[in-house]
């Protein structure tokens, strides 16, 4: 019997839309530089203004914030492009970290027993406060996720997640984790080493970077590769967690949220929205079940914080 296809989690859907925005941001800036150069080079040299703000209509923000001669302005394009590549790498990796945090937190909310034999200490007072607020599960999921994800290397995150799921995320056959680990050290060098190679980066990725303190020299191909690795890893992790833990829970939560937020109560319309957003096929009986629960109880939506990304089809 074929396994059911649950589509994707709310966390993965949020991740896809977030990283798509970052990808578009990079390429829009990249193409804007091309258009800018094309435009300035189309003006005869004799007609060029001494500074860009002297062009008719341009003596205002944002032009006044970079009031350079056109030639100097264009010469800065290569620097802008390199900085934008580096910033994009940082943003891609941050978006992936948010996905990991979100999916682990969701998993722990739905199945707290996955924590296993962890010796995490909890203060009785903290537990009592959350019991009074009727939010023990959310609090517990947050605490466990912070323990497993915050301030950990990505290799350690993958290892811990693999132990919980009883699945080898670091598969040497696809090389995704090794490649991703290399890029996390590039990210660290950008943030913590003044956008130059660090000792850690040279140690981990010596085949690409052989000396400390040199520019990273990123290319467009790198800006294409990093989000690709991120999406492949997220897709791989998501499928395992959907099959083992989440199943239809995210689709059901989306049904409830669409009813609460938008007043949608037609099962066919709800099922269509769930399919368009999560690629999950919920049959009419299941849609009616989640809808009836929300109507009957008026329960607060818990276990996931919806954002505008979660409603993008």
């Amino acid at each position: 019997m074929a396994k059911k296809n649950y589509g994707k989690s709310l966390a993965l859907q949020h991740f896809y839309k977030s990283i798509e925005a970052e990808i578009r941001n990079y390429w829009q800036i990249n193409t804007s530089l091309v258009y800018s150069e094309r435009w300035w080079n189309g003006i005869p040299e004799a007609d060029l203004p001494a500074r860009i703000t002297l062009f008719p209509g341009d003596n205002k923000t944002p032009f006044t914030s970079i009031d350079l001669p056109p030639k100097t302005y264009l010469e800065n394009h290569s620097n802008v492009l390199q900085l934008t590549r580096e910033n994009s790498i940082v943003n891609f990796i941050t978006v992936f970290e948010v996905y990991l945090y979100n999916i682990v937190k969701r998993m722990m909310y739905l199945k707290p027993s996955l924590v296993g034999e962890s010796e995490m200490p909890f203060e009785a007072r903290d537990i009592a406060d959350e019991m009074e607020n009727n939010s023990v599960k959310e609090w517990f999921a947050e605490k466990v996720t912070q323990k497993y994800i915050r301030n950990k290397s990505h290799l350690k995150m993958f290892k811990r997640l693999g132990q919980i799921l009883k699945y080898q995320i670091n598969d040497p056959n696809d090389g995704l984790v090794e490649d991703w680990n290399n890029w996390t050290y590039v990210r660290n060098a950008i943030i913590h080493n003044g956008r130059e190679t660090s000792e850690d980066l040279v140690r981990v990725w010596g085949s690409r970077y052989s000396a400390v303190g040199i520019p990273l020299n990123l290319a467009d191909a790198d800006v294409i590769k990093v989000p690709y690795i991120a999406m492949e890893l997220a897709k791989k992790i998501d499928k395992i967690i959907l099959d083992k833990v989440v199943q239809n829970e995210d689709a059901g939560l989306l049904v409830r949220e669409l009813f609460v937020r938008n007043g949608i109560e037609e099962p066919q319309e709800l099922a269509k929205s769930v399919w368009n957003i999560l690629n999950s096929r919920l049959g009419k009986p299941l849609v009616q079940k989640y809808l009836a629960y929300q109507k009957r109880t008026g329960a607060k939506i818990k276990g996931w914080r919806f954002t505008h990304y979660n409603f993008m089809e």
Side-chain angles (χ1 to χ4, degrees), residues 248 251-256 259 264-272 274 281-297:
N248 285 318
L253 201 66
L254 181 58
V255 167
R256 293 171 56 202
F259 168 70
I264 303 172
E265 53 184 319
E266 171 56 46
Q268 187 173 349
E269 185 179 352
L270 287 166
K272 182 179 178 182
V274 169
R281 292 193 185 278
L282 273 190
K284 187 175 179 180
L286 268 181
V287 173
Q288 290 175 323
K289 170 190 167 184
Y290 291 118
L291 182 60
Y293 172 82
Q294 189 60 42
K295 285 183 173 182
R296 184 177 71 254
T297 65

Side-chain angles (χ1 to χ4, degrees), residues 39-242:
W39 189 83
W40 279 111
N41 288 336
I43 299 175
E45 188 169 352
D47 296 334
L48 286 173
R51 302 188 312 278
I52 65 171
T53 55
L54 296 178
F55 191 86
D58 288 351
N59 190 21
K60 58 186 179 182
T61 304
F63 308 102
T64 52
S65 296
I66 185 169
D67 193 10
L68 299 170
K71 183 179 179 182
T72 307
Y73 177 81
L74 291 177
E75 287 173 347
N76 193 45
H77 276 19
S78 59
N79 183 53
V80 171
L81 191 56
Q82 191 58 231
L83 290 175
T84 304
R85 285 176 183 143
E86 292 167 0
N87 291 343
S88 294
I89 298 302
V90 172
N91 293 344
F92 295 147
I93 293 173
T94 300
V95 168
F96 182 78
E97 287 175 339
V98 171
Y99 166 72
L100 276 183
Y101 194 92
N102 284 341
I103 195 64
V104 171
K105 184 178 176 182
R106 180 72 174 141
M107 180 174 68
M108 287 299 171
Y109 176 85
L110 291 172
K111 197 171 181 180
S113 61
L114 286 170
V115 75
E117 298 179 0
S118 171
E119 297 180 356
M120 290 178 60
F122 294 111
E123 293 290 335
R125 179 62 187 173
D126 293 338
I127 299 173
D129 288 343
E130 298 305 325
M131 289 178 70
E132 288 182 1
N133 296 330
N134 196 29
S135 56
V136 173
K137 284 183 70 176
E138 288 185 323
W139 171 81
F140 179 81
E142 179 77 26
K143 290 293 183 182
V144 172
T145 306
Q146 287 179 359
K147 175 72 174 178
Y148 289 167
I149 301 296
R150 286 276 162 86
N151 301 318
K152 299 288 192 301
S153 72
H154 286 225
L155 282 181
K156 287 183 178 178
M157 292 183 203
F158 293 137
K159 183 178 179 181
R160 185 58 176 155
L161 189 55
Q163 289 170 345
I164 294 169
L165 297 171
K166 295 179 174 55
Y167 181 87
Q168 185 179 356
I169 296 171
N170 187 2
D171 184 351
N173 292 321
D174 61 33
L176 290 172
V177 169
E178 181 181 353
D179 286 347
W180 185 253
N181 185 56
N182 289 339
W183 284 108
T184 64
Y185 280 89
V186 173
R187 186 274 305 269
N188 292 346
I190 294 167
I191 296 174
H192 302 298
N193 209 53
R195 301 177 184 269
E196 294 181 342
T197 56
S198 65
E199 290 183 6
D200 285 340
L201 178 56
V202 171
R203 172 177 55 81
V204 170
W205 205 355
S207 60
R208 173 162 175 161
Y209 297 111
S210 58
V212 175
I214 61 173
L216 296 165
N217 291 327
L218 301 179
D220 281 347
D222 298 321
V223 180
I224 294 170
K225 184 169 186 178
V226 174
Y228 167 78
I229 299 170
M231 287 187 282
E232 288 299 304
L233 277 172
K235 184 168 60 176
K236 180 179 183 179
I237 292 167
D238 210 69
K239 186 178 186 314
I240 304 303
I241 293 178
L242 274 175

